[in-house]
Amino acid sequence: MAEQPTVLTPEMDDVDNDGKSLIVAEDKLPERLLIIPLHDRPMFPKMMGPIIIEDQALQQALMDIEDKSAPLYLGLVLSHPSEDSLPRMPQTIDDFFKVGVVVRVLQVSVAKPGAPMQLLVQALERFDVVELERIKGVFRAEVQYWLDGKPENTEEIKAYAVAIIDCIKELVNLNPLFKEGLSLLIERINLSDPSALADFSASMTTSSGTEIQEILETREVRVRIEAALVLLKKELEITKLKAQISKRIEDQLSKQQREFFLKQQLQEIKKELGLAKDESESEIDKFQQRLKKLVLSDEAGDRIQEELEKLRLLGPSSAEFNVSRAYLDWLTVLPWGVYTEDNYDIDKAAAILNNDHYGLEDVKDRILELISVGIIKGDISGSIILLVGPPGVGKTSIGQSIARSLGREFYRFSLGGMRDEAEIKGHRRTYIGAMPGKFLQAIKTCKTANPLIMLDEVDKIGASFQGDPASALLEVLDPEQNKDFLDHYLDVRFDLSKVLFICTANQMETIPGPLIDRMEVIRLPGYIMAEKVEIARRHLIPKQLRLHGLTKDQVVFPKAVLTAIVDSYAREAGVRGLENCIKKIMRKAIKEIVKDPQKTMRVSKDDLSELLGKKVFTEDHAYKKPRVGVVTGLAYTSMGGATLHIESIPVPTGQAGFKQTGQLGQVMVESSEIAYSYVRSLLQDDKAATEFFAKNFIHLHVPAGATPKDGPSAGITMACSLYSLAVGKTMPASTAMTGELTLSGLVMPIGGVKEKIIAATRAKIAQVLLPKENKEDFDLLPEHIREGITPHYVATFKDVMRICFH
């Protein structure tokens, strides 16, 4: 690769190093040359420069030259650039350009064997490559020299020469690196030689090797000097652009430095005048101002003072400064000893609860009892309430109403899907981005140490390799432990005993027993039709009118229409489906009102199919007529109470057998097998029934097979279905039952009586069979739920037979 060449003086053309006259070039230059490939840029005649040869084959070829005393002439030819622009030794003739320069080697030096060889060469003349061949890894070429005579120096060429000189001067002003090249030009180049001027000016530019090679290959001097001027002009434009960019960056840096120094000076002046403090002092003052409003525990006070002393010693640039500042920020922002005053006005609290919710008397009574305790004791603490019920019955909104009635700050977060224990108890401070747990974040947000915190979906909390959040909740929700709650980030005990916790869940089966043991369970069973209609009239319709920008006169819902909506489209335990129906009607009403702003829409029963589509719930006419083997049961699910129609049919196979379908859980499968065994045992003395079971395969099915069903309360229902099938008797269609059966025929008590009775009311059931031990549960139900239901209490399956098959 050639470095920046040195230009020969005019005298070098005539005299050699010893001062003797040179021999005429055309007589002495060899016609066959050893070729040295150039990878970067070509060399021009009348220039001098070093050549580095790394190729071992080329080095050996030079060392093998026999006549060491004779002048050594070599050919320099530029190779075509590779696709990846990396220098590589040419492999074929096509890898070279067709024009090169012959050079005389002035000096050869090798540092050590195997090291690159350095040649100092003097370029003499251009040549065309006539023939090129590769022998033993090196290229040799037969060349034809140009040997042009002195060109005619016309006025046009002189003008080009002056333009080149002016362009180079302008480049020198913009880039001092061109100053040396200009000095060489003035000292060594004959300005009357346009060919040399074109060659030299082209070599000064940073143009690509291919562009400079075009200058080398141009024979006509006028064309060559014009092309060289074009390259210089490009170089000038690039240099101007670089200068503009550099100036813009320098101005920007200068402005930033100036602002920085001025701010530093201003800060120092303020310090001298006592008007400002450094960052660490201002932070410490901020923390101390916060402490004046707090009542710290001894442990918290000691820790804060310790951290303040550490912060004084740390510089703002220290990595630990920000960690310590963040920790102190949390320690001082928490409301230590700051409490809101509870409202102990029972009448006001009752009015708020009644205004926000219709029904739910159990929950309201429990809250009023809590306030009564506060009146006597002067403090409401140690209560953790768990509201259990199906979706849409108002569990979350009850929490907000309780907070309003007590006058406390309210904070809600969901535990559904939470798998990281650190969400509850915080991260260790050693982790990047560590934060306290959700409970201390809630305390910080509420700015009081006795808010009401609602934990939604406590039955859906998860567990993973990151810990068990449900177990971490045990400390939080234990009134005996949470007065010394220790968060991993805070590492100082904080009193949570004044916080009122209210949890919500759809079912209790997935909540760990130790967690349930710490809470007081209140069940929200769902609503009957009359309650839903009243809730819609009092709460849902006014709320949706407000949200949709309508007035009560623009959309009117008669009570009979609300009853029809509940009966046909929203029979679920909660009111969320009913609210969605009301929303849908509101949206369709708005579409009509936009067309006619004066229009009033009064919804009628006949409009419901058009407004809400096909009925979701229809009458089970197939089950209204008594049929052998078909019995209605009552079940309790996470969505509330439900009715189950259990069917049995015989398949005459000539041998006994039994199977059950309907996606039944393990408990219901076992109940069906108990029922089958008990009924066969019960009828063993009946020859007809015994023969019936011996010759028929019994298939028991619970419809709605896409819905999973499980639970221990369908035993007597399955037994009735099998008994009805065996004796050929039907039972009244308006009768439903619930109860678990043992192998000895006893009827065991069940849970969820209220939810099941509500489901029976929705299904228009007239009489219900309940276990005898559940009599008190039924008697405690509100009158409006029991209305229209005739209960029968059974202790054994024979009692069931007497009532249903008399």
Side-chain angles (χ1 to χ4, degrees), residues 95 106 128 137-138 171 184 188 247 279 340 356 374 386-387 392 475 517 525 537 542 556 560 589 591 608 636 690 766:
D95 290 341
L106 303 178
D128 289 325
V138 298
L171 276 170
L184 289 171
R188 300 182 179 181
K247 187 174 185 305
E279 188 175 352
T340 55
D356 290 349
L386 173 62
L387 303 176
E475 180 185 355
D517 187 54
R537 193 177 62 81
V556 179
K591 185 178 177 182
L608 292 181
Y636 173 67
T690 302

Side-chain angles (χ1 to χ4, degrees), residues 52-57 59-60 63 109-118:
I52 306 297
I53 298 177
E54 297 181 351
D55 184 67
Q56 295 295 322
Q59 290 184 17
Q60 190 62 43
M63 299 297 291
S109 62
V110 182
K112 57 182 179 179
M117 178 183 288
Q118 181 169 321

Side-chain angles (χ1 to χ4, degrees), residues 529-547:
M529 181 184 292
E531 290 177 321
K532 281 188 173 185
V533 170
E534 199 62 27
I535 290 170
R537 193 177 62 81
R538 294 189 184 189
H539 301 285
L540 302 182
I541 292 175
K543 173 185 173 184
Q544 293 305 321
L545 286 171
R546 184 175 67 254
L547 292 177

Side-chain angles (χ1 to χ4, degrees), residues 190-377:
N190 184 0
L191 298 182
S192 62
D193 184 358
S195 176
L197 181 62
D199 291 347
F200 177 77
S201 57
S203 68
M204 285 181 62
T205 67
T206 58
S207 301
S208 66
T210 304
E211 291 176 316
I212 297 176
Q213 177 70 22
E214 291 177 3
I215 303 292
L216 184 71
E217 295 179 356
T218 304
R219 282 183 176 273
E220 188 178 345
V221 175
R222 192 202 66 78
V223 178
R224 189 191 308 165
I225 198 169
E226 182 181 357
L229 181 60
V230 170
L231 291 184
L232 277 176
K233 288 292 185 182
K234 287 182 180 178
E235 190 74 24
L236 182 61
E237 292 301 319
I238 293 171
T239 306
K240 285 180 179 179
L241 184 59
K242 288 180 180 177
Q244 291 174 2
I245 294 172
S246 299
K247 187 174 185 305
R248 194 158 58 240
I249 293 173
E250 287 175 6
D251 291 345
Q252 188 174 356
L253 290 175
S254 299
K255 181 180 179 183
Q256 291 176 349
Q257 290 175 344
R258 183 168 176 271
E259 289 178 355
F260 173 76
F261 287 125
L262 286 174
K263 286 178 180 177
Q264 290 296 109
Q265 290 175 357
L266 181 62
Q267 192 70 18
E268 292 298 323
I269 292 170
K270 285 185 175 181
K271 284 183 184 178
E272 291 295 326
L273 295 175
L275 299 176
K277 300 172 183 177
D278 62 21
E279 188 175 352
S280 60
E281 289 179 356
S282 62
E283 290 289 341
I284 291 170
D285 283 351
K286 178 180 75 175
F287 296 142
Q288 287 177 337
Q289 288 296 324
R290 289 180 182 175
L291 294 177
K292 293 178 181 178
K293 304 174 184 178
L294 307 176
V295 182
L296 298 171
S297 64
D298 294 339
E299 183 185 13
D302 293 342
R303 179 63 60 85
I304 289 173
Q305 291 305 319
E306 179 184 329
E307 289 295 322
L308 285 173
E309 290 300 323
K310 185 192 295 184
L311 199 66
R312 286 191 177 94
L313 299 175
L314 295 171
S317 59
S318 169
E320 198 176 347
F321 179 83
N322 288 326
V323 176
S324 187
R325 177 173 60 182
Y327 181 48
L328 268 171
D329 185 60
W330 271 102
L331 280 172
T332 55
V333 81
L334 289 174
W336 300 89
V338 178
Y339 303 102
T340 55
E341 187 176 349
D342 288 324
N343 168 40
Y344 293 135
D345 188 339
I346 288 186
D347 294 335
K348 181 180 177 182
I352 291 174
L353 292 171
N354 289 326
N355 185 55
D356 290 349
H357 295 275
Y358 179 80
L360 305 177
E361 300 302 329
D362 293 347
V363 183
K364 294 176 184 177
D365 288 343
R366 178 64 187 88
I367 303 308
L368 296 178
E369 290 167 8
L370 187 69
I371 295 174
S372 301
V373 171
I375 294 173
I376 302 297
K377 184 183 173 185

Side-chain angles (χ1 to χ4, degrees), residues 553-559 561 599-605 607 611:
D553 297 326
Q554 288 178 297
V555 182
V556 179
F557 288 84
K559 193 170 182 179
V561 172
K599 186 173 182 178
T600 297
M601 183 173 178
R602 185 177 181 87
V603 185
S604 67
K605 287 184 180 181
D607 298 331
L611 294 171

Side-chain angles (χ1 to χ4, degrees), residues 487-615:
D487 184 273
H488 290 157
Y489 178 87
L490 207 64
D491 205 22
V492 176
R493 287 169 176 78
F494 192 89
D495 185 5
L496 294 181
S497 63
K498 302 293 191 296
V499 178
L500 180 59
F501 293 102
I502 296 182
C503 308
T504 71
N506 295 132
Q507 56 187 353
M508 293 176 58
E509 287 75 13
T510 56
I511 306 175
L515 199 55
I516 292 179
D517 187 54
R518 286 163 167 77
M519 298 184 282
E520 181 180 346
V521 179
I522 300 177
R523 292 188 175 274
L524 283 71
Y527 303 105
I528 62 174
M529 181 184 292
E531 290 177 321
K532 281 188 173 185
V533 170
E534 199 62 27
I535 290 170
R537 193 177 62 81
R538 294 189 184 189
H539 301 285
L540 302 182
I541 292 175
K543 173 185 173 184
Q544 293 305 321
L545 286 171
R546 184 175 67 254
L547 292 177
H548 286 82
L550 299 171
T551 64
K552 63 180 181 180
D553 297 326
Q554 288 178 297
V555 182
V556 179
F557 288 84
K559 193 170 182 179
V561 172
L562 291 175
T563 302
I565 293 174
V566 173
D567 188 47
S568 301
Y569 298 92
R571 285 191 191 176
E572 73 282 349
V575 294
R576 201 164 285 152
L578 175 57
E579 186 171 17
N580 289 335
C581 290
I582 293 171
K583 284 182 189 176
K584 194 171 184 179
I585 293 172
M586 295 279 185
R587 291 194 297 269
K588 293 185 181 296
I590 286 177
K591 185 178 177 182
E592 298 299 323
I593 290 172
V594 166
K595 297 176 182 177
D596 182 7
Q598 305 300 322
K599 186 173 182 178
T600 297
M601 183 173 178
R602 185 177 181 87
V603 185
S604 67
K605 287 184 180 181
D606 297 335
D607 298 331
L608 292 181
S609 59
E610 182 181 348
L611 294 171
L612 299 176
K614 180 183 174 183
K615 291 181 180 180

